[in-house]
């Protein structure tokens, strides 16, 4: 039973947890930089709450609200320069995975001179701005991971900065910020979180600790599933009440704790191409591939899939496929040529070779794409 | 769903994990102090492994091997003076809860001048020597907690230093060090761990994260229980093989992660008197009281007990009592006067008033003692 467990982020969870624990911010300094996207943090109340907490503690702040979806390397250098110019003591990242991941890279680059060519090499000193994470979607779990996933045009895919130094120091998890999130975003991010929990159980780095968290994460997804299906069927986000929002927030956070230990597997490796070349949402891309990979695993390691299905409250992989179909609808159209290109790309991603309990062959990767996109 | 989760210790688990990860030690400095008891760390191989890892990394070390069971405040000041005199950079604590808890206090006192009268007031600066924990019993879970529990003669009980700064930076969990541990020590420490997991679920600070870890901890206890019962029946530790030792090590570590979030409850509050005045082993003391407190909780919150029994794979509290009886044997003899004295003491402990989902009245505390010691 060899494993490593590390998840140093201090999590505060609950309605109004930022303002109720604003004293925590004070320990990180006198000037903050808010890192967020252009608009959602302003609309969902999260930015107002952060500002209120900072003001309550007499902490100055500046705002960098230029983070795009799937943030680029260039954006992180820009944010780091802004942090340096404003001499901030810490960063508060507000939003989905994009602002949180971008903020982690900015925190690193604000304190260390790292050339773009070296950004993903994992060789950093200990110096970093503290990051406080305020998730407003329930998906990436970036609030509790050491990953910063950036769009890397040089490599035509997403690439990760991985370092213990970029674990957020604190995460404030308040599901109220998700109220009003559209149905599609809610489902895609939830499926991303579920994919983290399931892939975590299929990783060679899975341990009893990560599996316990993964199963709990899956149970929260299952609790939220009926109302998500209803929201999809009626295309109406108003059925997604505070209870469901909270279930999804906990699902995503627990799944983040899982991938902080395990990393992801073939599903994410394959999904990155769908996002990069076809602009298919990250969570949706994973969801379209997840059951296909589970079917591959089931052939040689059926117990692994039985354990996952058990946490899902299911007995057959077909039931799980049906649920994903209900949530995600019909897959996009892919050509054979695209499948070949994405297959060649996916098999080069290290999470396939280095991280899967069951490593799919190139043929199997191709078959999974074909199956998922009904080309076989 | 308001809660806080924090457990920053990096855990390495597995056979030979110290030597395989010796590079981790190097990041803490060039001179270490080993803190341990008089003999067990020398016999069970743990001290040799630590020394080998330090030597491999070219790290100097000094040894403080004067920690007694239920360590005193005086001992921690002595160790801190030793650390200062030797100008060590970090501490490696090797042993059961006693050396680990003592080491945490020494780590604090080596860097901060704290008067004995202020030792338990929770007001410390951030300055502390890093502590690396190497557990050699599976009980306290001190390797992953922010607690240092010391014998406080001034208060005639055990008192805790509680501070995030004393979380061990790293824990090396290698079950081989437990091979050869006597049956009684094994059972008492295992029951202590079980008590942590169960009390964690009965704490007002229980959360979905701590409950997931607690249930997993309980499952590991259950896996180990049949061979522990056999070892007790035959009074033969040799039946406790490496698999059982590992199950118990994981049980204890997970339960430590739980109480790092939740603290303990009435069981520990009551047990401290049994240890202080009657010299009943700490884990045994908890075990004698655990089912009695569960019975009290069951009266007003039956679902809490159903959940715990479910993790135990049981349906009736009676089954659990029977298992504890089998493991612990007959209770010690207590007088009515002793019960009254311990009751008066226990109700002053803050974990009763401040931490229990179901707060027992003074009468109920008395009744629990009476029931547990067959005086009613």
């Amino acid at each position: 039973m060899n494993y490593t467990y590390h998840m140093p982020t201090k999590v505060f969870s609950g309605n109004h947890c930022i303002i109720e624990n604003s004293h925590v911010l004070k320990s990180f300094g006198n000037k903050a930089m808010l890192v967020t996207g252009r608009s959602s943090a302003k609309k969902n109340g999260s930015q107002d709450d952060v500002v209120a907490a900072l003001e309550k503690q007499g902490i100055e702040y500046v705002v960098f609200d230029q983070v795009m979806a799937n943030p680029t390397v260039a954006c992180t250098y820009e944010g780091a320069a802004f942090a340096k110019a404003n001499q901030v003591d810490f960063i508060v990242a507000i939003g989905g995975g994009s602002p949180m991941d971008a903020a982690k890279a900015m925190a690193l680059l604000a304190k260390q001179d790292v050339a773009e060519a070296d950004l993903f090499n994992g060789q950093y000193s200990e110096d970093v701005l503290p990051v406080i994470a305020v998730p407003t979607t329930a998906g990436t779990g970036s609030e509790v991971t050491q990953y910063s996933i950036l769009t890397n045009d040089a490599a035509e895919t997403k690439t990760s900065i991985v370092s213990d130094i970029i674990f957020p120091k604190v995460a404030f998890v308040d599901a109220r910020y998700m109220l009003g999130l559209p149905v599609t975003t809610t489902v895609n991010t939830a499926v991303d979180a579920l994919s983290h929990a399931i892939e975590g159980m299929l990783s060679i780095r899975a341990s009893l600790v990560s599996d316990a968290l993964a199963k709990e994460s899956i149970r929260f997804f299952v609790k939220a599933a009926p109302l998500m299906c209803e929201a999809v069927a009626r295309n109406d986000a108003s059925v997604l009440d505070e209870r469901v929002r909270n279930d999804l927030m906990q699902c995503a956070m627990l799944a983040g704790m899982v991938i902080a230990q395990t990393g992801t597997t073939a599903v994410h490796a394959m999904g990155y191409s769908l996002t990069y070349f076809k602009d298919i949402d990250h969570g949706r891309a994973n969801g379209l591939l997840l059951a296909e990979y589970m079917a591959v695993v089931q052939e040689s390691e059926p117990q692994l899939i039985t354990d996952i299905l058990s946490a899902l409250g299911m007995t057959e992989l077909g039931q799980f496929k049906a649920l994903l179909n209900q949530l995600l609808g019909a897959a996009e159209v892919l050509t054979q040529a695209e499948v070949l290109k994405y297959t060649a790309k996916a098999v080069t991603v290290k999470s396939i070779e280095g991280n899967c309990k069951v490593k799919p062959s190139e043929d199997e990767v191709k078959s999974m794409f074909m199956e998922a996109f009904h080309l076989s």
Side-chain angles (χ1 to χ4, degrees), chain A:
Chain A
M1 204 170 302
N2 285 300
Y3 66 87
T4 307
Y5 178 79
H6 192 212
M7 205 301 288
T9 305
K10 186 163 189 169
V11 176
F12 294 91
S13 175
N15 289 354
H16 309 285
C17 61
I18 297 176
I19 202 79
E20 283 172 9
N21 298 286
S22 64
H23 63 278
V24 172
L25 299 168
K26 194 66 190 169
S27 62
F28 295 105
N30 298 314
K31 190 167 183 184
M33 171 164 95
L34 276 52
V35 172
T36 184
R38 284 176 205 279
S39 64
S40 66
K42 294 175 186 70
K43 291 179 192 155
N44 63 32
S46 55
Q47 189 165 332
D48 285 347
D49 281 3
V50 168
V51 166
L54 292 170
E55 287 178 348
K56 188 175 172 190
Q57 296 295 328
I59 299 169
E60 274 187 89
Y61 65 94
V62 291
V63 177
F64 183 92
D65 57 3
Q66 304 298 311
V67 181
M68 67 291 285
N70 304 311
T72 59
V73 168
C75 166
T76 66
Y77 278 92
E78 196 186 321
F82 187 79
K84 282 194 273 193
N86 285 284
Q87 298 186 294
V88 304
D89 300 317
F90 64 102
I91 292 177
V92 185
I94 313 172
S98 297
M100 289 191 282
D101 283 7
K104 291 174 184 173
M106 292 172 194
L108 171 70
L109 295 169
K111 297 292 274 186
Q112 301 183 33
D113 285 324
V114 181
E116 201 172 318
D118 300 328
L119 185 56
F120 300 104
N121 74 3
Q123 304 297 311
Y124 322 110
S125 74
E126 294 290 306
D127 216 13
V128 67
L129 289 178
V131 173
I132 316 295
V134 182
T136 64
T137 65
T140 66
S142 182
E143 64 273 19
V144 290
T145 74
Q146 72 282 45
Y147 306 126
S148 164
I149 301 170
L150 303 173
T151 294
N152 182 353
D153 285 321
E156 287 189 327
T157 186
K158 292 196 163 193
T159 311
S160 304
I161 299 175
V162 183
S163 173
D164 281 4
I165 64 170
I166 59 170
F167 267 113
K169 295 289 178 284
V170 174
F172 290 110
V173 178
D174 186 335
R176 293 175 308 126
Y177 306 138
M178 281 183 68
L179 290 166
L181 208 62
V183 175
T184 309
T185 316
T186 305
V187 169
N188 287 346
T189 47
V191 169
D192 187 31
L194 177 67
S195 191
H196 293 162
I198 290 177
E199 290 182 70
M201 293 178 72
L202 301 177
S203 160
I204 55 166
R205 288 186 276 158
S207 71
L208 58 110
V209 187
S210 67
D211 278 357
L213 298 170
K215 288 174 196 167
E216 198 67 19
S217 170
I218 292 170
R219 285 183 207 112
F220 274 100
F221 184 92
V222 170
K223 268 179 77 185
L227 278 186
M228 277 202 290
C229 288
E230 192 184 329
V232 169
R234 292 167 48 182
N235 192 24
D236 178 2
S238 71
V239 303
L240 299 169
D241 60 18
E242 205 168 302
R243 189 203 49 87
V244 179
R245 295 299 188 182
N246 189 58
D247 288 344
L248 292 175
M249 214 57 157
Q250 304 298 338
C251 164
M253 185 203 65
L254 289 162
M257 292 178 174
V258 173
I259 56 167
Q261 315 310 317
T262 63
T264 55
T265 65
V267 177
H268 269 65
M270 296 168 66
Y272 286 148
S273 284
L274 297 175
T275 301
Y276 191 85
F277 294 109
K278 294 288 281 188
D279 205 26
I280 298 176
D281 173 273
H282 170 66
R284 176 178 173 81
N286 294 332
L288 292 170
L289 297 162
L290 185 55
E292 303 305 335
Y293 181 53
M294 289 168 73
V296 168
V297 173
Q298 195 169 37
E299 283 171 30
S300 54
E301 297 280 358
Q303 189 57 46
L304 285 173
I305 302 304
T306 304
D307 286 351
I308 292 167
L309 290 173
S310 162
L312 284 161
M314 298 173 180
T315 52
E316 301 285 336
L317 193 48
Q319 297 170 273
F320 182 52
K321 271 195 193 189
L323 173 60
L324 288 174
N325 282 341
Q326 212 180 331
L327 289 170
L328 299 174
E332 284 74 0
V333 175
L334 239 65
T335 64
Q336 292 259 5
E338 285 171 325
V339 165
L340 292 177
K341 180 177 175 185
Y342 305 166
T343 298
K345 198 94 205 165
V347 295
T348 67
V349 179
K350 65 182 172 195
S351 55
I352 287 204
E353 185 54 33
N355 220 29
C356 298
K357 281 182 181 168
V358 176
K359 295 180 215 315
S361 66
E362 186 160 351
D363 262 4
E364 283 172 323
V365 170
K366 184 180 147 204
S367 298
M368 285 189 261
F369 275 124
M370 301 284 276
E371 284 284 338
F373 291 89
H374 310 295
L375 283 163
S376 51

